[in-house]
């Protein structure tokens, strides 16, 4: 009976050791995953800041005029083309 108890105790100790090793392995995997996600988060925050800056410049009159002239080929009308209507 005593040998059986020692055998069961040894199995419990081995199982506990394997559990600790497995928990540490899972912890390392979670840490690596967290580090990767934090790096991606930082990159996305930088890109979000760039997009906010770009969006802020879209509403400026100079930016709108530049896009209209270069991309759309628009020009200001000549003074003779402007007609002012009186109410």
């Amino acid at each position: 009976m005593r040998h059986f108890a020692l055998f069961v105790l040894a199995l419990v100790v081995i199982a506990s050791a394997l559990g600790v090793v497995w928990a540490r392995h899972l912890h390392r995997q979670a840490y690596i995953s967290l580090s990767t996600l934090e790096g991606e988060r930082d990159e996305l925050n930088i890109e979000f800041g760039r997009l906010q800056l770009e969006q802020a410049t879209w509403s400026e009159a100079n930016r709108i005029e530049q896009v209209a002239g270069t991309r759309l080929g628009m020009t200001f009308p000549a003074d003779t083309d402007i007609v002012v209507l009186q109410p």
Side-chain angles (χ1 to χ4, degrees), residues 54 57-76:
E54 185 177 341
T57 61
W58 285 349
S59 62
E60 295 178 359
N62 292 338
R63 172 76 175 150
I64 294 171
E65 183 180 333
Q66 179 187 12
V67 169
T70 57
R71 293 186 186 170
L72 302 176
M74 300 174 88
T75 59
F76 284 104

Side-chain angles (χ1 to χ4, degrees), residues 1-2 13-15 18 36-38 40-41 44 52 58 62 65 69-71 73 76 80-83:
M1 182 73 171
R2 185 173 181 169
V13 169
I14 291 172
L18 289 174
T36 302
L37 290 173
E38 285 177 342
E40 290 177 10
R41 181 205 58 201
L44 289 173
Q52 283 181 321
W58 285 349
N62 292 338
E65 183 180 333
T70 57
R71 293 186 186 170
F76 284 104
T80 57
D81 293 335
I82 299 174
V83 176

Side-chain angles (χ1 to χ4, degrees), residues 2 4-5 9 13 26 29 33-34 37 43 64 68-70 84:
R2 185 173 181 169
F4 179 72
L9 183 61
V13 169
L26 292 178
Q29 284 182 334
S33 178
L34 178 64
L37 290 173
E43 290 175 12
I64 294 171
T70 57
V84 178

